[in-house]
Amino acid sequence: SPPVGASPGALNPFDRRLKRKQKNWAALQAEPAKCDYLREEVRGRGRGHPGTFPLALDVGSGRGYIAQHLTKETVEKLIQVDIAENALKNAVESEIPTVRVVADEEFLPFKEDTFDLVVSSLSLHWVNDLPKAFKEIHQVLKPDGVFIGAMFGGDTLYELRCSLQLAELEREGGFSPHVSPFTAVADLGHLLSRAGFNTLTVDTDEIQVNYPGLFEVMEDLQGKYILCMGESNCSWNRKPLLHRETMLAAAAIYQEMYGNSNGSVPATFQIYYMIGWKYHESQAKPAQRGSATVSFGDLAKIEGLLKRGKK
């Protein structure tokens, strides 16, 4: 596959080489299990579609967060793909026969019509070419195969981003991104449809965590959600540090604009959930948006439901 990394520009907002380093560092931390809270929340809330699958692919698998909630009765064989070799080396063991492949999510090294199921949890928001990534996922699916994914949405950490931007404009006369850009939900269904998926379901959810103040938000993001999950900002135009005066101003703005009545401040994580099928003539008509009732957390219990869902 092509080498990781590309020149900065409008079509390549992320430094993929830096992303690999960040994820490799995150995978080697002493107690990575403490860093999995947000992924567990997403897994538990994620809308899914039931089924039994001979061969599944986990794109951007990390340490195997999804595999922990699958059984051999649900998935007979699993291939985990991640850009970071340390994440795969430190993957949590699963009862499912598993093959781990180091590869970039943007360049899947598999043949067309290979997988019955593709899943991806909180990985695709870092790819430079999301339409291409969706097309590659669609290509490696078999006809009547299904893609189930979750990714961070456009309103993720909007309180933090707005506070930092306003503080930098006030104190430094301009601002640089400290939180990476995210896709808007209005674009997601269109991108999946253009990639060839049908019978689409796209939904959103929000996870809100309260903190004493901005500094605690930043500390927790650095120590838990961001670094331990390899989620640090890898935009080419990121700014390496913030001046103390700017941080103090941002903390005051955060409190004034978003503070709760008890003095805490919220940090919002928006999650997009998506389900798309590769066309097969036997498929039923699309269900209504938001009608899916099975979560990532129920994947271990869904044997046999796929056929019932298609009747």
Side-chain angles (χ1 to χ4, degrees):
S1 63
V4 175
S7 300
L11 298 180
N12 294 293
F14 302 123
D15 183 344
R16 295 290 290 176
R17 291 187 184 278
L18 178 59
K19 175 50 51 189
R20 171 181 280 176
K21 290 180 180 179
Q22 290 170 345
K23 295 187 75 173
N24 273 322
W25 183 92
L28 294 178
Q29 297 315 294
E31 298 180 273
K34 291 184 178 180
C35 305
D36 296 347
Y37 165 73
L38 190 58
R39 286 190 186 272
E40 289 298 311
E41 282 289 311
V42 172
R43 179 201 57 78
R45 298 186 187 203
R47 278 60 170 167
H49 200 296
T52 302
F53 308 97
L55 183 61
L57 173 67
D58 186 354
V59 177
S61 62
R63 297 179 54 251
Y65 308 96
I66 298 299
Q68 299 174 61
H69 305 281
L70 301 173
T71 68
K72 290 185 291 186
E73 289 72 30
T74 306
V75 171
E76 295 177 9
K77 185 176 181 179
L78 177 67
I79 295 181
Q80 296 175 329
V81 167
D82 200 275
I83 196 174
E85 58 272 20
N86 286 339
L88 297 175
K89 290 177 182 177
N90 290 274
V92 179
E93 290 301 319
S94 167
E95 68 175 57
I96 303 170
T98 302
V99 176
R100 300 182 177 102
V101 178
V102 177
D104 193 324
E105 295 94 329
E106 297 187 32
F107 305 99
L108 296 178
F110 306 105
K111 294 181 179 179
E112 187 175 356
D113 301 340
T114 297
F115 297 96
D116 305 279
L117 165 70
V118 176
V119 296
S120 181
S121 181
L122 302 185
S123 167
L124 292 175
H125 56 279
W126 281 127
V127 302
N128 278 314
D129 192 343
L130 189 58
K132 182 178 184 297
F134 283 154
K135 287 180 180 179
E136 294 226 347
I137 290 171
H138 181 270
Q139 180 173 311
V140 301
L141 276 171
K142 294 179 179 178
D144 205 31
V146 61
F147 167 55
I148 303 174
M151 63 185 291
F152 284 120
D155 287 340
T156 294
L157 297 174
Y158 71 88
E159 307 98 337
L160 177 62
R161 285 185 289 166
C162 184
S163 299
L164 291 173
Q165 288 175 5
L166 289 174
E168 281 195 282
L169 283 171
E170 175 188 320
R171 299 302 173 95
E172 302 180 31
F175 67 87
S176 298
H178 298 277
V179 179
S180 290
F182 299 103
T183 302
V185 68
D187 300 328
L188 198 54
H190 179 62
L191 292 177
L192 289 165
S193 179
R194 283 185 58 189
F197 291 100
N198 63 84
T199 320
L200 292 172
T201 299
V202 176
D203 208 348
T204 65
D205 197 4
E206 288 188 353
I207 300 171
Q208 191 172 87
V209 184
N210 292 315
Y211 296 87
L214 177 141
F215 290 101
E216 287 79 9
V217 174
M218 298 286 284
E219 181 181 5
D220 207 36
L221 290 174
Q222 288 293 322
K224 189 179 296 181
Y225 308 124
I226 303 299
L227 289 183
C228 290
M229 288 167 41
E231 292 297 326
S232 297
N233 184 7
C234 67
S235 300
W236 288 101
N237 61 340
R238 64 193 176 276
K239 192 173 181 179
L241 56 85
L242 283 164
H243 296 106
R244 176 172 175 78
E245 291 301 315
T246 303
M247 288 291 292
L248 291 172
I253 292 171
Y254 205 138
Q255 184 66 53
E256 181 178 352
M257 292 185 62
Y258 305 108
N260 298 316
S261 58
N262 64 357
S264 65
V265 296
T268 299
F269 298 88
Q270 184 181 42
I271 312 297
Y272 298 156
Y273 301 107
M274 64 204 96
I275 306 168
W277 296 82
K278 188 167 183 176
Y279 176 75
H280 188 274
E281 60 184 10
S282 67
Q283 289 171 354
K285 294 182 179 180
Q288 291 185 345
R289 183 181 182 275
S291 63
T293 58
V294 179
S295 74
F296 276 124
D298 295 325
L299 283 175
K301 308 173 184 178
I302 59 179
E303 182 178 9
L305 292 181
L306 178 59
K307 293 181 181 178
R308 191 174 76 186
K310 288 189 178 181
K311 289 182 179 179

